[in-house]
Amino acid sequence: MTDEPLLRVSALSKFYGSRIGCENVTFDLWPGEVLAVVGESGSGKTTLLNCLSTRLLPSSGTASYRMRDGQWRELYRMSEAERRFLMRTDWGFVHQNPADGLRMTVSAGANVGERLMAVGDRHYGKIRATAVDWLSRVEIDEDRIDDEPRAFSGGMRQRLQIARNLVTGPRLVFMDEPTGGLDVSVQARLLDLLRGLVTDLGLAAIVVTHDLAVARLLSQRMMVMKDGRVVESGLTDRVLDDPRAPYTQLLVSSILQV
Amino acid sequence: MTDIATYNFAYLDEQTKRMIRRAILKGIAIPGYQVPFASREMPMPYGWGTGGVQVTASIIGPDDVLKVIDQGADDTTNAVSIRAFFRKVANVAVTTDTATATIIQTRHRIPEHPLTAGQVLVFQVPIPEPLRFLEPRETETRKMHALEEYGLMHVKLYEDIARHGRIATTYAYPVKVEGRYVMDPSPTPKFDNPKMHRSPALQLFGAGREKRIYAVPPFTDVVSLDFEDHPFEVQAFDQPCALCGAGNVYLDEVILDDHGGHMFVCSDTDHCEKRRADSTSPSWGGRAEGAGGENGQSSLSSIPTPALRADPPHKGEGKEAE
């Protein structure tokens, strides 16, 4: 860990016409840190994530990223080519619906290998070996490497999507409800896997979720959003065990006790 | 040819020709880049070469000699019709001879006879976008071209190797032009890809339905994409042409009867006829082969030839179906 953050976000706002997507969001993200963004649907979580990952351009505010060479770059001033290059090398984006993040009509191996080929890898044998390695790391059998993701279960697809994103060794991964739509046992395994990978690789991650349990398991720090604004932020344990904002208290007390 | 006056020269009006020439010039200036153009309705259906015909009509002059081939042949419907069309609307000389033609409009082949400086090869292109089947959004593929993001093209080749053990794409094999744009060479067999590389002739590509024109200027690098451990290679035929005995040419399979009899002959009819005319001892005669059960459903890239053709050509007359 260094004493410099990886990502600095300052007064980020996104408006859809007169409606607020997210407003005045400020935070720093350090290398190896997992930040959870929680809140109910419509609270601006996904807008924030899309702005940060440059899939959307914000209405105002800045976000700077420390590149691998230590240079600070302002995300919204970079050219589209640079942003897209960053997106497929140093960053990852895990979609809630794996079909959005995968190529459903090409094999699992090619899905994992695509990023390698995109950065200029031209050796089939090496690409395939890397794909095999990554499939095993996300617990997909090697003999499924030539199957299309269409033939995979939801959990497997999500694991494949994670492998596809991590193959270039990114430093920052955005996740949008990574466990949404999965049943609880599959969710548990996926979370376990994610936790292992994040720790092993020292990834920084921003995880958007409405599931407080996911946030508690994965993240060290958390931001609670409501109506596009951050109402509370702090260490995950602190926020969940001692919520201060009335909305956070409501959120925490709304968790179903089984 | 008396009714030429009823048409504008070469069918298209002058404004249209100017518009198409501008697109062609832009295409030549940016090799491999797909230039949009306002494709016109032509008196033929899409898919029959409306793009190629418009390009030809825009560049043809009264002194030009036109050759039209369809899958290498001068005598198929499409080739004959387009040739007749230009004879009628432009009153130009037409030929089947590759060497004397100044403009060669082609559907899916490059002539075997080497092209020379000053010749123009016009390709009819059905789908100009090499990334089409990998990324269906045109907005996205244009962006990928602009940003030179071609990793996806290799995904297709990867899939080929994963499924077939080798790059199984045999036609429309993607190429990189002058180290920049990835281009679909139209559905020519990949056998013809090396001919595009540093060709002295100007190569123009017209896609009428898709409204795109692109070009490869003379002496431009055209490199077929591949992997380091699976390098690009062209189809190899383990027998020569059954009519003219030419090796190292692209062959078509011709079915002779319904008992599995077939033979392989030059796809380039002009080349084949010339060779036969030049040869003092032409080996004519249908070389039927492959009897009974073995039928001719072999792919051209790997033709299984059961014990045939070990011998050189010119002596195969007697080898009817064994």
Side-chain angles (χ1 to χ4, degrees):
Chain A
M1 307 281 150
T2 56
D3 34 347
E4 249 196 318
L6 189 65
L7 181 72
R8 274 197 180 121
V9 181
S10 162
L12 199 71
S13 301
K14 172 75 186 174
F15 300 100
Y16 300 103
S18 59
R19 291 197 176 78
I20 297 172
C22 61
E23 193 180 23
N24 209 12
V25 178
T26 303
F27 69 93
D28 288 348
L29 184 74
W30 269 265
E33 182 187 38
V34 180
L35 172 74
V37 181
V38 301
E40 59 194 15
S41 28
S43 60
K45 309 183 298 272
T46 302
T47 297
L48 176 65
L49 194 73
N50 284 339
C51 283
L52 294 175
S53 59
T54 70
R55 292 153 56 84
L56 266 181
L57 287 185
S59 310
S60 65
T62 58
S64 313
Y65 181 71
R66 189 159 53 80
M67 309 291 279
R68 286 192 194 211
D69 58 7
Q71 293 273 325
W72 281 94
R73 296 293 304 275
E74 215 172 288
L75 291 179
Y76 309 118
R77 295 245 174 102
M78 289 165 86
S79 72
E80 187 173 13
E82 286 175 304
R83 283 205 300 265
R84 285 171 70 123
F85 183 75
L86 197 63
M87 197 73 211
R88 61 174 193 258
T89 53
D90 219 16
W91 289 2
F93 196 107
V94 178
H95 294 260
Q96 173 173 12
N97 180 3
D100 295 340
L102 291 172
R103 292 196 189 278
M104 299 304 278
T105 51
V106 304
S107 68
N111 262 296
V112 177
E114 181 177 342
R115 276 175 159 235
L116 295 173
M117 294 182 250
V119 294
D121 217 322
R122 292 289 177 265
H123 193 285
Y124 174 82
K126 286 183 197 155
I127 293 168
R128 196 165 170 88
T130 313
V132 168
D133 175 45
W134 267 101
L135 288 181
S136 72
R137 286 166 88 162
V138 296
E139 299 163 17
I140 294 175
D141 278 344
E142 191 183 325
D143 60 5
R144 302 299 301 270
I145 187 168
D146 291 329
D147 291 352
E148 290 177 5
R150 279 191 294 209
F152 286 8
S153 68
M156 276 174 83
R157 287 180 190 184
Q158 198 56 286
R159 293 203 298 275
L160 178 63
Q161 196 192 178
I162 289 163
R164 172 182 160 90
N165 272 288
L166 297 188
V167 68
T168 48
R171 295 189 303 159
L172 174 58
V173 179
F174 302 97
M175 299 186 207
D176 191 2
E177 307 273 7
T179 57
L182 301 177
D183 53 57
V184 281
S185 58
V186 177
Q187 252 189 48
R189 273 179 65 202
L190 188 74
L191 284 173
D192 202 30
L193 175 78
L194 271 177
R195 220 154 50 144
L197 287 172
V198 165
T199 322
D200 290 350
L201 304 170
L203 288 175
I206 297 177
V207 184
V208 158
T209 179
H210 64 270
D211 189 336
L212 293 179
V214 169
R216 189 191 278 274
L217 270 172
L218 279 180
S219 69
Q220 287 105 39
R221 217 148 54 91
M222 111 191 243
M223 283 196 319
V224 183
M225 290 186 75
K226 165 103 172 105
D227 298 333
R229 294 183 191 88
V230 176
V231 293
E232 184 163 1
S233 65
L235 295 177
T236 302
D237 292 346
R238 204 281 294 154
V239 173
L240 289 180
D241 294 342
D242 178 22
R244 287 174 194 171
Y247 174 70
T248 317
Q249 291 169 359
L250 176 75
L251 202 65
V252 171
S253 63
S254 307
I255 299 176
L256 276 180
Q257 303 294 331
V258 187
Chain B
M1 266 135 278
T2 48
D3 50 358
I4 179 142
T6 55
Y7 290 99
N8 194 38
F9 179 78
Y11 188 75
L12 294 174
D13 62 276
E14 295 304 316
Q15 284 304 316
T16 299
K17 284 195 260 185
R18 283 183 63 174
M19 173 271 292
I20 294 175
R21 284 173 198 149
R22 270 193 219 111
I24 292 172
L25 286 175
K26 182 168 181 183
I28 293 171
I30 318 172
Y33 172 71
Q34 299 167 45
V35 186
F37 79 110
S39 178
R40 297 290 192 252
E41 292 283 327
M42 295 304 281
M44 59 204 289
Y46 286 134
W48 286 67
T50 51
V53 165
Q54 287 179 78
V55 170
T56 302
S58 305
I59 60 170
I60 203 164
D63 303 331
D64 273 313
V65 182
L66 179 70
K67 169 184 164 81
V68 184
I69 52 175
D70 176 3
Q71 308 275 13
D74 293 279
D75 53 3
T76 49
T77 314
N78 200 217
V80 170
S81 307
I82 293 174
R83 213 159 47 222
F85 174 74
F86 279 110
R87 206 162 45 196
K88 185 169 185 178
V89 300
N91 201 16
V92 292
V94 295
T95 183
T96 59
D97 178 26
T98 303
T100 54
T102 56
I103 298 174
I104 303 170
Q105 181 171 334
T106 173
R107 174 167 175 264
H108 313 347
R109 268 318 304 283
I110 297 176
E112 304 289 357
H113 189 278
L115 301 176
T116 53
Q119 286 186 308
V120 183
L121 192 57
V122 178
F123 292 77
Q124 301 170 198
V125 183
I127 296 166
E129 180 51 72
L131 300 161
R132 174 68 49 86
F133 295 108
L134 301 160
E135 173 56 67
R137 289 169 295 176
E138 182 78 11
T139 47
E140 183 68 13
T141 55
R142 303 214 83 192
K143 202 168 269 178
M144 290 161 81
H145 281 294
L147 301 176
E148 225 180 324
E149 281 181 11
Y150 290 131
L152 198 52
M153 209 68 248
H154 274 85
V155 170
K156 177 182 160 34
L157 302 180
Y158 172 98
E159 283 290 276
D160 264 7
I161 302 172
R163 283 189 191 162
H164 307 288
R166 66 199 157 82
I167 297 178
T169 305
T170 51
Y171 64 96
Y173 192 103
V175 293
K176 195 163 211 178
V177 181
E178 203 64 11
R180 177 58 178 84
Y181 283 97
V182 165
M183 182 187 93
D184 184 344
S186 88
T188 50
K190 66 177 174 183
F191 184 87
D192 286 339
N193 276 17
K195 293 182 196 161
M196 308 181 79
H197 180 59
R198 306 201 70 80
S199 165
L202 170 63
Q203 302 171 79
L204 302 177
F205 300 77
R209 178 182 43 207
E210 304 272 338
K211 302 176 172 58
R212 294 286 185 277
I213 283 173
Y214 51 105
V216 175
F219 304 108
T220 301
D221 285 338
V222 178
V223 180
S224 304
L225 301 181
D226 60 2
F227 283 105
E228 286 159 20
D229 47 348
H230 286 266
F232 172 78
E233 50 191 25
V234 299
Q235 292 99 328
F237 298 91
D238 36 18
Q239 54 193 314
C241 168
L243 296 181
C244 74
N248 221 356
V249 294
Y250 194 75
L251 301 180
D252 278 345
E253 183 184 20
V254 178
I255 307 290
L256 298 174
D257 51 40
D258 55 2
H259 305 297
H262 61 136
M263 65 187 209
F264 289 95
V265 298
C266 285
S267 120
D268 186 337
T269 53
D270 174 59
H271 183 72
C272 197
E273 279 159 20
K274 286 256 160 43
R275 279 181 55 90
R276 274 182 279 153
D278 293 347
S279 161
T280 45
S281 60
S283 77
W284 177 253
R287 294 168 59 119
E289 62 198 34
E294 281 266 329
N295 78 347
Q297 215 211 352
S298 55
S299 89
L300 284 169
S301 55
S302 56
I303 299 153
T305 44
L308 290 170
R309 294 291 169 266
D311 52 333
H314 303 303
K315 53 178 77 156
E317 265 81 339
K319 276 206 171 167
E320 292 297 325
E322 287 112 306

